[in-house]
Amino acid sequence: MKTHTRTLDIPEVDQIPSFMKILDDMGVGNNVFLKGIAGTGKTTLGEKASYAHFGRKENDKKELPFVIITCNQYTSPIDIKGGQTMYGYKEGGLIEAWRDGKILIIDEMPKLDPNTAGLLNDPLAKSAKEGAVIFNGLNEPIEKHPDFGCIATGNVTGKAISSTYVGNNKQDSSLLDRFSGSIYEIGFNEKLERSLVYPALVDICIEIRNAILKYEGKDHTASDMEDIMTLRTMLNFQRIYELEMLRATGIKDTKGIVSRPVRNGKTLKDCMESYFLVMNREKANHIQGEVNMTKFLNRYQEAEMKQAFIAEYRRRNGLLVV
């Protein structure tokens, strides 16, 4: 694979221990597999690694450096290698990445039907081979671009059926062998969470997660939590929290707009209630009592918390602190 000048001026370099290892794997042509529970940012990590590998900054408004195949029970050979559709011939994601020198992100790979997944065996066995040739849906030979690479993601590896992630299939061992030595467990990353989420919010979210783990008799390495508190959940909460606090404080946002209070608008309290709504009632009550949820919900809109929000909002958005 061609050597690029990496872009390393992104937080993930220091906050995700595996980031540089993933880039090294990509640099030598190894296929990478990112395994972890839902919401830990596996796909996002694959995208960030793709940009960094090619020496580019994220969202630089150029053609994407990756092609994503989102896997599910309906993913077909056409999605992977190409084929005829009612609208004519459609090129597959694998072929596009192979031909054009992009990173192929196989998102949720264990959800593939094992027979369909078998189409990946030959190409992924050749990822590091110069000038390797595979065939597209028209049976045309396609030579591998030197920059082709592959990152797969999954809640499980596919070695066995999961009772937690029932949409995954048991995969042939030969497929997993294509990622041997380059499989990374992507779990909870408190350092990254604290860098992305407002302090008051991340504190309570981590407390909730720890209380859930304690209730289920598990630790922070658990990959089969019945209920989860992930970075994705935190960011979902944060978008509403930020909107609510902008309305409550009346400060200007990054566009210079002042948000006015909205009657019955959504709040962080609404997010929290929705989160606990899908949890077993006895468990939800226990967790909320353990973290003193009532105290947090009564305090987060107090004057001191509003001032802390204003300072943090301005800091993270590069606005003048007044």
Side-chain angles (χ1 to χ4, degrees):
M1 184 174 274
K2 183 179 177 181
T3 300
H4 297 267
T5 301
R6 297 166 171 171
T7 303
L8 300 179
D9 58 342
I10 55 178
E12 287 73 20
V13 173
D14 295 320
Q15 294 162 345
I16 298 178
S18 302
F19 199 86
M20 290 302 299
K21 295 179 176 63
I22 291 168
L23 290 185
D24 282 342
D25 272 323
M26 295 168 70
V28 298
N30 288 342
N31 303 311
V32 173
F33 189 100
L34 307 178
K35 172 187 173 291
I37 67 173
T40 48
K42 301 180 296 297
T43 307
T44 300
L45 174 56
E47 294 175 0
K48 289 178 180 292
S50 299
Y51 275 106
H53 171 72
F54 286 113
R56 293 171 52 181
K57 293 184 179 294
E58 290 184 82
N59 306 317
D60 56 11
K61 298 184 179 179
K62 299 178 183 178
E63 186 176 1
L64 294 176
F66 53 80
V67 176
I68 297 182
I69 297 177
T70 303
C71 303
N72 54 57
Q73 59 180 322
Y74 302 111
T75 303
S76 72
I78 292 177
D79 298 310
I80 296 173
K81 299 191 73 173
Q84 292 294 336
T85 71
M86 62 185 297
Y87 303 106
Y89 180 76
K90 174 187 174 183
E91 194 63 276
L94 165 66
I95 301 301
E96 180 184 344
W98 187 271
R99 179 194 63 214
D100 299 340
K102 298 182 179 182
I103 303 302
L104 175 66
I105 299 179
I106 312 173
D107 195 29
E108 302 296 349
M109 187 179 71
K111 291 183 179 179
L112 285 173
D113 176 272
N115 294 306
T116 302
L119 295 173
L120 296 166
N121 281 3
D122 180 56
L124 297 188
K126 300 174 178 176
S127 293
K129 184 178 179 181
E130 293 185 15
V133 172
I134 61 175
F135 294 84
N136 67 3
L138 295 174
N139 206 33
E140 297 171 333
I142 308 295
E143 184 175 343
K144 183 177 75 69
H145 191 288
D147 293 339
F148 171 81
C150 177
I151 299 176
T153 75
N155 303 132
V156 297
T157 59
K159 291 184 104 176
I161 299 296
S162 169
S163 60
T164 303
Y165 298 101
V166 296
N168 292 281
N169 297 303
K170 184 176 180 180
Q171 300 293 335
D172 193 287
S173 296
S174 61
L175 178 61
L176 192 59
D177 185 61
R178 270 58 178 170
F179 301 89
S180 182
S182 302
I183 299 174
Y184 299 91
E185 184 77 37
I186 308 301
F188 305 124
N189 188 327
E190 188 172 321
K191 186 176 181 181
L192 178 61
E193 291 164 349
R194 290 191 179 281
S195 74
L196 297 176
V197 182
Y198 283 88
L201 180 56
V202 75
D203 284 345
I204 190 65
C205 286
I206 291 174
E207 282 187 48
I208 290 171
R209 182 170 66 213
N210 289 340
I212 292 173
L213 288 168
K214 181 180 177 181
Y215 184 91
E216 295 183 0
K218 299 170 183 175
D219 60 25
H220 69 281
T221 64
S223 60
D224 59 345
M225 294 174 64
E226 183 178 338
D227 296 292
I228 55 179
M229 172 61 74
T230 63
L231 176 58
R232 178 185 295 153
T233 302
M234 294 180 195
L235 293 176
N236 287 346
F237 288 174
Q238 176 160 277
R239 284 186 280 271
I240 292 299
Y241 171 70
E242 191 171 80
L243 175 63
E244 178 187 6
M245 295 300 276
L246 285 173
R247 288 171 173 172
T249 59
I251 65 171
K252 293 180 179 179
D253 64 16
T254 55
K255 298 179 181 179
I257 298 173
V258 175
S259 298
R260 303 299 180 187
V262 175
R263 185 178 180 182
N264 296 323
K266 189 166 185 180
T267 66
L268 177 60
K269 181 179 179 181
D270 294 327
C271 291
M272 294 291 190
E273 289 177 347
S274 176
Y275 174 78
F276 285 107
L277 183 65
V278 297
M279 195 179 293
N280 172 281
R281 182 47 44 197
E282 180 183 342
K283 179 178 179 180
N285 290 338
H286 177 87
I287 301 302
Q288 291 180 80
E290 180 88 6
V291 303
N292 203 340
M293 201 71 216
T294 300
K295 179 180 179 181
F296 171 80
L297 293 176
N298 287 335
R299 287 193 63 242
Y300 82 92
Q301 280 245 26
E302 290 181 351
E304 183 180 347
M305 300 286 273
K306 287 181 179 178
Q307 289 303 313
F309 167 82
I310 292 171
E312 179 64 11
Y313 180 82
R314 287 174 170 160
R315 183 198 67 79
R316 62 173 54 202
N317 289 292
L319 301 175
L320 180 64
V321 178
V322 295

